[in-house]
Amino acid sequence: MAFTVSQTRELLTVRTPEVELGFSCDDGGLRVLRHGGGPNLAGHGEPRPSVDICVGGKGWLAERVFVRYLSYTVEERDGAVEVVVVIGIGALKVFDRYRVTGSLITRRVSVENVGEDEVQLCGVRMMLPWLRVGPPESCCFDAPGNSVRPRVPLAVAADQRPGVLPRRFFAPGLRQQRALEPAPTIAAGLMALHDAGGDGALLCWYHSAVEPALPQVEGNGQAVTLSHVVEVAEWLRAEVGISADAQYILLLDMPWSQALEAFQRTWALAGGALPPDAPPAAPWVRDAAIYEVHPARFGGFAGLADALPGLTALGVNTLCLLPIWDYGAPDGRPWDGNWQAGNPYAVADFGRLAAGLGGPADLRRLVQAAHARGIRVLLDLPLAGVAPGAGYLADHPEWFCQDEHGQPARAPGADTVVAFDWANPGLRDHFAGWALGLLRDYELDGFRVIPPRAPLPNWARGLPYHASASTLGYLSLIERLRHAIRQERPWAAILGALGGPACAQRQDFAVDELPHHMFFHLALNRVTPAELGDWLTDHWGALPPGTVRACFTESHHTRLLNPIADGMRGSRISRMLLAGMVLCGFVPLIWSGQEEGEEAFIAALLGARARSPALRHGAVRCNAAPCDSPQVFSVLRTHGEDAVLGLLNVGPHRHTVTLALPLHELALPDGDYQIVDLLRGQRWCEGGRHAWARDELHALRLTLEPFGAYGLALHPAASEVEGSAQGRAAPSLKNPPPTATVVER
């Protein structure tokens, strides 16, 4: 690739046919970032470095010491231009590396200790200082897959300050006091600026299989600095160096929707390519309806086996069992759901079943009984660590992380768990063999893996790998385990508790917590239906193609993540949100006990989903039916000739709205049509009317109940519709169902 280099007293400039980069000859910071000769996107604020280093006990160095530019190199290699800017920060030499391929920039940072004293490296911050795309009044900020509101005006994003909690103008709600999620374990770390009135876009994200990074946005009122704080950690002795993984920057001259599609196409180039031998997702995962349960709730394995007929009637086809191993219950009785009295995820002995559940033969009978009813069984694999009193700590101390003082490290926010070091190959070998043995012995259908949410570095001395290699070491275990279980049982699957790109590549499907929060923000009037539709569209666009996601209104973890969710159990709002998740294509997850008093609703919802290919496999288009009420959310699901229009009335009152159905997408011929609500198995009656001409569907008036959810299908009016929602094939335009009960509204 051709390039030119020029240098003045103030600026080093590198130009390629598509990108121009300019670096300060004072501190090496990025001052110019330009695409195709367009306007400069960077440097709209006080000069600052582009790299900062965190050292133990001293915080971020660039805030306290002088950062100095030292040198540079530029060369063409393998069809790309590689730029290395060398800076000094205290006793550290930092190599800021940019590889330019077309309009994609891959950036990595290496740190070398050139001093005499050992340095405890705790993090690297990779910054793009003071960015803006287009005029300030039309520039928008987006961070798909986070708690950030879609299409945030630059003025709001530029109001963000370090150490200050974001307000709801920026993020409708916070998770663990933050709006941006770690990448690539929970999200892609994608942040973007784009011109709503033009075609410019800048996208920035992070990907690694070694260390996570936390995205950050900081404003000065007129521009924003986008950063990724990489959790790279090591004891750096004199003349020892270490490298952080990749930050990616993509510059495009196109509107946001097209830019996000272009981002999807970069996964193969930007660290997101699947290994060539990666198995495809198990074919049944899109059809799953999951029931999450600890067997102790039913008195043990035998009691849960007795409850299977009721779960079958609900429409459940997959059991996910919380950890069933000895966790040192203080009174020796089965776990009763009291997390203060014991935590099943703080396992004491992976070789012994928890007290009161039954023995191995009882577990086998449970699995066999489930299989006889067409129900698959997954077991939770808790990967965070073990209980402090577990014998593994004495037998295999090398399996665990140590803190800076050489003591066993406790998982953040979980003092009952001592953290595993998943970079240790002996631990991975043991765990993979143990899990595969479980699969064989009990004829399981797979596992749900529960990695640590805030993985720790291992500060033990003398490791054959750097300290932060422990943080994402579980990824190689998951990948290895998935291959092994597929060889043993070709239909076996891995469900993940974390759904970021690095995890999604190695799992068959994932539990997705972020949509759970955004749906609840919808119910609490913190986001509008239109914003939720934009957020969902962007969320899926920021993930590797084809990822399958499960979602929930309650789970074992909502007591910590979103306690209000458990408090809404049995309400109209809770029913509406669960239906909305199903209508939007998420695999439903039901938390044990959630079904009590809601059996009829859950059975009808899961039954409608099981009968509709569109609801399980269909394409998803949010905000598909324009409505004169801003309180109505719509989503169109299409799969072949099967189509379902989902509607949510998020308002607290019954009201009549006018919808414009997307007739061009439904390809409806001329004629009269009736509407069937699949969630209730009923033909729609509006003011005594049961049929509408095709052209009338451009302005269809329907009366919606407060916090109501609907899955609507259109059928020729000549056909009749059956009243019960149980046990029938999915209706379609070619196969209309027989007769149904007519319900006046």
Side-chain angles (χ1 to χ4, degrees), residues 302-386:
L304 181 54
D306 292 339
L308 290 176
L311 298 181
T312 302
L314 282 179
V316 167
N317 59 26
T318 306
L319 286 183
C320 181
L321 305 185
L322 270 64
I324 56 175
W325 299 283
D326 173 31
Y327 65 96
D331 55 8
R333 294 185 300 175
W335 185 63
D336 63 357
N338 185 348
W339 294 92
Q340 299 302 317
N343 181 357
Y345 288 93
V347 176
D349 188 347
F350 285 99
R352 186 170 59 189
L353 295 171
L357 296 184
D362 298 299
L363 177 56
R364 290 190 187 94
R365 282 192 287 270
L366 167 62
V367 176
Q368 291 166 359
H371 287 170
R373 291 187 167 273
I375 297 176
R376 295 178 175 86
V377 181
L378 309 178
L379 285 188
D380 268 3
L381 295 185
L383 305 186
V386 299

Side-chain angles (χ1 to χ4, degrees), residues 631-718:
Q631 294 183 307
V632 173
F633 170 82
S634 69
V635 57
L636 180 65
R637 306 294 309 282
T638 55
H639 182 77
E641 294 187 351
D642 187 27
V644 177
L645 179 67
L647 298 176
L648 302 182
N649 173 22
V650 301
H653 59 280
R654 186 175 191 260
H655 67 310
T656 301
V657 303
T658 301
L659 294 155
L661 300 193
L663 302 184
H664 60 288
E665 296 185 47
L666 298 175
L668 298 180
D670 288 335
D672 291 343
Y673 290 87
Q674 60 185 355
I675 301 170
V676 180
D677 181 1
L678 302 183
L679 304 189
R680 296 164 180 82
Q682 297 169 346
R683 183 174 59 175
W684 197 284
C685 179
E686 184 72 27
R689 188 176 184 183
H690 307 104
W692 292 262
R694 179 189 182 278
D695 290 344
E696 291 181 297
L697 301 176
H698 284 294
L700 178 65
R701 290 177 60 79
L702 299 178
T703 300
L704 308 180
E705 297 298 324
F707 300 110
Y710 307 88
L712 306 182
L714 295 173
H715 304 286

Side-chain angles (χ1 to χ4, degrees), residues 343-468:
N343 181 357
Y345 288 93
V347 176
D349 188 347
F350 285 99
R352 186 170 59 189
L353 295 171
L357 296 184
D362 298 299
L363 177 56
R364 290 190 187 94
R365 282 192 287 270
L366 167 62
V367 176
Q368 291 166 359
H371 287 170
R373 291 187 167 273
I375 297 176
R376 295 178 175 86
V377 181
L378 309 178
L379 285 188
D380 268 3
L381 295 185
L383 305 186
V386 299
Y392 305 102
L393 290 160
D395 297 340
H396 297 282
E398 73 280 6
W399 287 0
F400 299 92
C401 291
Q402 295 181 12
D403 61 21
E404 298 92 328
H405 309 293
Q407 299 301 310
R410 301 294 179 96
D415 288 341
T416 58
V417 175
V418 180
F420 278 136
D421 174 5
W422 286 109
N424 184 283
L427 173 62
R428 294 198 303 267
D429 289 345
H430 174 83
F431 218 87
W434 169 75
L436 192 59
L438 290 174
L439 189 91
R440 293 169 179 157
D441 291 348
Y442 298 108
E443 298 184 336
L444 302 172
D445 299 286
F447 300 99
R448 178 172 66 170
V449 292
I450 313 287
R453 291 173 176 271
L456 295 174
N458 186 355
W459 291 109
R461 301 283 185 167
L463 294 174
Y465 42 82
H466 60 273
S468 54

Side-chain angles (χ1 to χ4, degrees), residues 76-87:
E76 189 277 333
R77 181 178 298 175
D78 299 328
V81 175
E82 297 188 349
V83 183
V84 181
V85 177
V86 186
I87 62 175

Side-chain angles (χ1 to χ4, degrees), residues 155-195:
V156 174
D159 195 41
Q160 305 310 303
R161 298 291 187 270
V164 179
L165 292 179
R167 300 185 65 185
R168 285 185 181 162
F169 298 112
F170 183 74
L174 304 180
R175 281 166 37 96
Q176 300 177 327
Q177 302 302 303
R178 65 181 180 230
L180 298 171
E181 301 289 343
T185 53
I186 297 180
L190 175 61
M191 298 176 286
L193 293 169
H194 54 95
D195 183 0

